[in-house]
Amino acid sequence: MLRETFRIDPARWLAREAPDEPVFFYDPVRLDRQAARFHRHFPGEVTYAVKANPDPVVIEALARGGMAAFDVASPEEMELVASVAPHARLHYHNPVRSQAEVRAGRRHGVVSWSIDRMGELDKLGPIHDMEIAVRLKLPVVGAVYDFGTKFGASPEQAEALLRAVAARGGIPSMTFHPGTQCREAAAWEAYIAACAEVARRAGVTLARLNVGGGFPAYREEPSPDLEVIFARIADCAARAFGPGAPRLVCEPGRAMVAEAFELALRAKAVSGGAVFLNDGIYGGLSEWRDLQASQRLTVLRPDGTPRGGRLVEREVFGPTCDSLDRLSDKVALPEALEEGDYILFHACGAYSTALATRFNGYGARRIVTLLH
Ligand SMILES: *Cc1c(COP(=O)(O)O)cnc(C)c1O
């Protein structure tokens, strides 16, 4: 990625530079603010799921803002965190690992490991005094994307795993991941109640309960009220576990970073009901294949002034020669949209830089950091 800095205003930068390629704008103040919001209001420890945006600048800023632990899923993510935030603790919450990956985790001093099957517990070898978080899966409620189909033990399997962890001298915890962009607290509540029941049946007292990520970013109106979700999580855990409830941990990815980046794309051609952009699902908008289109965008004329007026729904294509390269939903854009206009997509920090490819010679390569 090419890095530049600019004082605050993306519209002015676009008017001055007239980029023909996609550009990310990174606002470190928005990242700090969101991290502080999580730290202040989440009723437990906040960790960051590195996969959502592994830019070293993001990891470094979060560590500086007090993030003391990171959720990593691979040796490369461990190396990254170790190089940027050497004092951070690592939670290795990818429950299926090769032998070499287990060795890498031990070498990096991972403090918490998730598991969802006996074979993976066996693979860890001696677990004395290691935190082992048994990952539960339930049928999905309220997520836009189903994570439960790949990882996670059923309640019966989870109960057996918890007993095994306790019998082998590990520190028993539980974890789950409710999905992503979950707008309803019910997604967490169902899991918290189920974890309490599993622990009770296993006769094991949990040290910690990691409620995963899945917190919603502001992609459509209204802006999600994270504090309400946090309060419901706290209440539900207190009710489900009673006295001696486990300490809570969360591992947000999307909701932590989404707002800190905007993606500026340009209309290459406007043709009837269709718009061809200079980036699409193989680049910074790769998530738009699976999630609903975000309503949060601003259209700018090439001189940086806003293009307003009546909106019409249009089909949006990306730049590559692959016919899959179109957004799954139509997008409401000004009727007066013209070739050469910029579309500034807000809340583009999650699963964007991380997933962008260079397929067909396209894809965002520039990040402009906004200075305040
Ligand atoms: C992806 C992932 C997260 C982060 O999810 P978001 O929806 O981005 O908050 C957290 N925990 C686990 C185990 C994950 O796989």
Side-chain angles (χ1 to χ4, degrees):
M1 285 280 189
L2 234 109
R3 292 180 189 280
E4 297 148 72
T5 55
F6 188 66
R7 281 190 66 78
I8 199 70
D9 185 8
R12 261 182 36 232
W13 189 91
L14 290 168
R16 194 185 76 184
E17 299 280 323
D20 207 43
E21 74 278 18
V23 176
F24 280 103
F25 292 99
Y26 163 53
D27 185 338
V29 170
R30 287 208 209 117
L31 181 62
D32 287 350
R33 220 180 276 146
Q34 187 72 337
R37 185 179 178 194
F38 267 92
H39 288 306
R40 193 170 313 126
H41 299 289
F42 181 78
E45 178 169 25
V46 180
T47 70
Y48 170 62
V50 170
K51 79 171 186 286
N53 187 327
D55 194 309
V57 173
V58 168
I59 308 293
E60 204 273 330
L62 290 173
R64 211 167 354 95
M67 190 80 65
F70 289 81
D71 168 39
V72 293
S74 62
E76 188 167 307
E77 289 185 351
M78 294 176 211
E79 299 284 347
L80 167 67
V81 175
S83 67
V84 181
H87 301 296
R89 282 173 285 119
L90 298 176
H91 293 180
Y92 190 178
H93 283 178
N94 181 341
V96 176
R97 311 170 181 89
S98 70
Q99 300 281 1
E101 288 172 336
V102 170
R103 288 194 294 277
R106 287 193 178 270
R107 209 166 48 242
H108 280 283
V110 163
V111 299
S112 180
W113 308 68
S114 78
I115 54 156
D116 67 352
R117 61 203 74 205
M118 209 55 90
E120 292 298 312
L121 177 59
D122 294 341
K123 216 184 263 180
L124 293 180
I127 56 166
H128 199 71
D129 286 341
M130 277 161 57
E131 180 181 44
I132 309 292
V134 173
R135 176 150 165 189
L136 181 70
K137 88 169 155 204
L138 294 176
V140 181
V141 260
V144 296
Y145 198 102
D146 184 354
F147 268 79
T149 52
K150 183 166 178 186
F151 293 137
S154 69
E156 295 71 30
Q157 293 163 335
E159 188 186 322
L161 287 168
L162 265 187
R163 285 210 185 92
V165 169
R168 296 179 195 187
I171 300 168
S173 287
M174 283 188 80
T175 187
F176 58 84
H177 181 54
T180 197
Q181 188 67 15
C182 303
R183 297 189 59 94
E184 301 296 332
W188 287 270
E189 289 172 328
Y191 268 105
I192 293 168
C195 286
E197 184 58 25
V198 166
R200 199 158 22 243
R201 287 187 187 196
V204 167
T205 302
L206 302 183
R208 301 204 291 177
L209 175 64
N210 188 322
V211 301
F215 300 93
Y218 180 17
R219 287 176 57 87
E220 66 261 326
E221 304 295 341
S223 164
D225 193 337
L226 294 178
E227 286 75 8
V228 166
I229 294 175
F230 296 160
R232 296 247 317 250
I233 287 173
D235 282 354
C236 180
R239 255 183 294 116
F241 287 91
R247 285 172 292 132
L248 298 178
V249 187
C250 67
E251 45 191 22
R254 173 188 304 287
M256 188 64 73
V257 283
E259 205 61 26
F261 287 67
E262 294 170 302
L263 176 59
L265 303 188
R266 194 168 210 189
K268 295 172 58 164
V270 180
S271 160
V275 183
F276 293 80
L277 298 181
N278 60 352
D279 198 19
I281 64 159
Y282 291 103
L285 296 180
S286 76
E287 270 215 323
W288 288 46
R289 203 184 35 204
D290 307 305
L291 299 189
Q292 253 186 326
S294 169
Q295 299 164 1
R296 295 190 56 223
L297 49 87
T298 305
V299 177
L300 301 167
R301 296 189 185 86
D303 69 2
T305 56
R307 170 91 69 192
R310 209 174 84 84
L311 301 177
V312 291
E313 300 257 308
R314 295 188 210 246
E315 180 125 53
V316 178
F317 292 100
T320 71
C321 298
D322 187 326
S323 54
L324 287 178
D325 193 4
R326 53 183 277 280
L327 303 188
S328 55
D329 299 320
K330 289 191 170 180
V331 181
L333 293 167
E335 192 169 33
L337 181 77
E338 283 186 18
E339 179 177 329
D341 281 359
Y342 291 103
I343 306 179
L344 198 53
F345 293 86
H346 306 292
C348 272
Y351 308 106
S352 53
T353 59
L355 289 170
T357 73
R358 295 186 169 195
F359 179 47
N360 236 182
Y362 288 101
R365 286 152 216 206
R366 287 175 92 172
I367 297 186
V368 178
T369 296
L370 300 173
L371 305 175
H372 286 251

